Amino acid sequence: MANTSMVKPGREGYKILFDTNTVIMNYKFAAAAAKYGTKENTLLKNIRSDFPGMKEVVVSGRVQTTAKANHRLTYENMEKHIRVYENAEELLEVFETVKAASVALASPYKYVCDWFKAQFPDYKKAVMLNDGKLTVVPKKAPDIQEYKQKMPKVG
């Protein structure tokens, strides 16, 4: 018996496995097949009428194999990390300035994330205290000219 989770739908968005009596389809094909009158809907109706006992399985078209680089690195978690430092007020001021400057960019999160990673290169490691104090000198925000700007809306 074939493992249906490892089988991917074909280029058309579906694949018929006669040995397991299963139709495998991706999310896009399944969504289109749910709309009456579409070619996908017609195709699925034909498959159902020709093979009445066939099971239908919807699978993801792509399997993520690598970890996400910024997993759990939200603005809230960045702020929690900043609050650990002795000069947290100063750092939070810079953080808020960087967030405000990022609004005009096409990818505001990337701008803030780049600043955070430059400011705290070892943010993933446990925080170590030196002489009972933990401080870091605030770094300047990245040059906004290096980032893609938002396109103005044409109306």
Side-chain angles (χ1 to χ4, degrees):
M1 184 176 229
N3 186 357
T4 56
S5 64
M6 297 304 289
V7 178
K8 295 179 184 175
R11 222 177 340 141
E12 300 84 20
Y14 75 99
K15 183 181 276 187
I16 300 175
L17 302 175
F18 290 104
D19 58 337
T20 59
N21 203 26
T22 308
V23 177
I24 305 229
M25 58 188 117
N26 61 21
Y27 289 109
K28 188 175 179 181
F29 182 88
K35 293 180 183 166
Y36 186 77
T38 61
K39 65 178 184 173
E40 291 86 354
N41 178 268
T42 307
L43 180 67
L44 196 56
K45 277 198 291 189
N46 290 341
I47 291 172
R48 286 176 181 158
S49 66
D50 292 346
F51 311 104
M54 193 156 283
K55 295 180 289 187
E56 297 169 8
V57 178
V58 180
V59 296
S60 173
R62 168 180 166 302
V63 176
Q64 179 140 1
T65 55
T66 58
K68 294 179 180 177
N70 295 332
H71 181 66
R72 294 181 45 102
L73 189 58
T74 62
Y75 288 165
E76 183 181 341
N77 287 341
M78 288 179 199
E79 192 172 322
K80 285 179 185 177
H81 182 82
I82 292 170
R83 289 190 187 281
V84 172
Y85 293 89
E86 295 275 330
N87 59 340
E89 292 79 26
E90 184 182 8
L91 291 167
L92 283 171
E93 235 176 74
V94 176
F95 180 61
E96 292 301 325
T97 304
V98 169
K99 283 193 333 189
S102 72
V103 173
L105 301 175
S107 181
Y109 174 78
K110 181 178 181 345
Y111 181 75
V112 175
C113 193
D114 287 350
W115 169 82
F116 184 80
K117 287 179 178 178
Q119 180 68 53
F120 307 102
D122 298 328
Y123 73 93
K124 289 184 180 181
K125 295 180 183 168
V127 177
M128 302 296 281
L129 294 174
N130 293 335
D131 301 328
K133 294 183 179 179
L134 183 65
T135 58
V136 65
V137 178
K139 291 191 178 181
K140 197 176 87 175
D143 184 17
I144 208 161
Q145 300 301 321
E146 295 177 12
Y147 291 84
K148 186 177 177 184
Q149 303 292 316
K150 276 187 184 174
M151 298 298 292
K153 291 185 179 178
V154 178

